């Protein structure tokens, strides 16, 4: 497959996206092919180096915003306007509650993940700040009450140590949780780009 054939096939696969989104993707991959040709590859080798076109289409769609995907998903075929609108109106009592439920479920997952992240960092901050406060307080206790001063100083050291230890664990967990939100976003998007007749990534011939 040469450059022209590849871009023509890619344009067909992305036919339901907007002209702007489609041209942006075509321009990006055309430039990648040109760069490889400048490096000494033939057109066929440059196209082959890009990988499987199905995976390329999937990657493009996963990187596309939700509003664009939904708009492409419900894009009407010529002559189907009345039938399409009738289905939407009659099916409203059925599809609307399901859509709202799915949106609320997705939102709750995001809220849960980010609540965990905020809670973890709040805990780290509390340990370190609490330790610093106990250190300052112990300085006031030493002249009048040595035992109390030692207690608060020991507590401050423990809190600061736990805070520093928890910082690295929280940093690691936060990174994984953020990755989880990305994977969850891709999962939701993948539901919109499944290979079915009439789907976004449907081949057009």
């Amino acid at each position: 497959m040469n450059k022209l054939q590849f871009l023509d096939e890619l344009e067909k696969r992305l036919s339901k996206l907007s002209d702007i989104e489609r041209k942006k993707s075509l321009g990006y991959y055309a430039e990648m092919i040109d760069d490889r040709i400048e490096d000494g590859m033939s057109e066929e080798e440059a196209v082959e180096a890009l990988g499987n076109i199905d995976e390329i289409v999937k990657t493009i769609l996963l990187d596309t915003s939700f509003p664009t995907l939904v708009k492409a998903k419900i894009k009407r075929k010529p002559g189907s306007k009345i039938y399409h609108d009738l289905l939407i109106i009659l099916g409203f009592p059925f599809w609307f509650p399901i859509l709202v439920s799915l949106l609320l479920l997705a939102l709750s997952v995001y809220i849960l993940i980010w609540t965990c992240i905020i809670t973890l960092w709040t805990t780290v901050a509390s340990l370190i700040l609490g330790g610093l406060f106990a250190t300052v307080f112990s300085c006031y206790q030493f002249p009048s009450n040595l035992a109390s001063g030692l207690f608060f100083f020991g507590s401050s050291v423990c809190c600061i140590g736990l805070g520093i230890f928890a910082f690295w664990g929280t940093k690691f967990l936060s990174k994984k949780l953020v990755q989880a939100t990305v994977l969850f976003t891709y999962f939701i998007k993948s539901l919109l780009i499944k290979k079915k007749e009439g789907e976004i990534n449907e081949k057009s011939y």
Side-chain angles (χ1 to χ4, degrees), residues 97-147:
I98 295 174
L99 178 61
V100 172
S101 298
L102 290 175
L103 290 175
L104 290 176
L105 176 61
L107 181 61
S108 64
V109 171
Y110 282 114
I111 292 174
L112 177 62
I113 291 175
W114 283 103
T115 299
C116 289
I117 293 174
I118 293 172
T119 302
L120 287 170
W121 283 108
T122 301
T123 302
V124 171
S126 298
L127 285 170
I128 294 176
L129 292 176
L132 293 174
F133 176 79
T135 301
V136 173
F137 190 74
S138 66
C139 294
Y140 287 98
Q141 292 294 311
F142 275 123
S144 59
N145 192 328
L146 180 62

Side-chain angles (χ1 to χ4, degrees), residues 69-104:
L69 281 178
V70 173
K71 184 178 179 180
K73 179 79 173 178
I74 63 176
K75 187 176 181 180
R76 299 182 181 117
K77 294 181 180 179
S80 65
K81 183 178 185 301
I82 297 176
Y83 175 73
H84 185 274
D85 291 343
L86 187 62
L87 278 179
I88 290 178
I89 294 171
L90 294 178
F92 180 82
F94 300 99
W95 63 260
F96 184 73
I98 295 174
L99 178 61
V100 172
S101 298
L102 290 175
L103 290 175
L104 290 176

Side-chain angles (χ1 to χ4, degrees), residues 49-66:
L50 295 176
N52 186 280
I53 192 168
D54 292 331
E55 293 300 320
I56 291 173
V57 172
K58 183 177 179 181
T59 299
I60 292 172
L61 295 175
L62 286 175
D63 291 334
T64 303
S65 65
F66 274 117

Side-chain angles (χ1 to χ4, degrees), residues 33-50:
I33 293 172
D34 291 338
D35 289 342
R36 284 171 167 78
I37 292 175
E38 290 178 2
D39 291 338
M41 291 185 176
S42 66
E43 277 195 16
E44 288 75 12
E45 291 172 338
V47 170
E48 185 177 358
L50 295 176

Side-chain angles (χ1 to χ4, degrees), residues 190-203:
S190 69
L191 298 178
L192 296 174
I193 61 175
K194 284 183 178 179
K195 282 190 173 182
K196 292 182 180 178
E197 185 179 356
E199 296 277 337
I200 301 170
N201 59 349
E202 174 188 9
K203 292 185 180 180

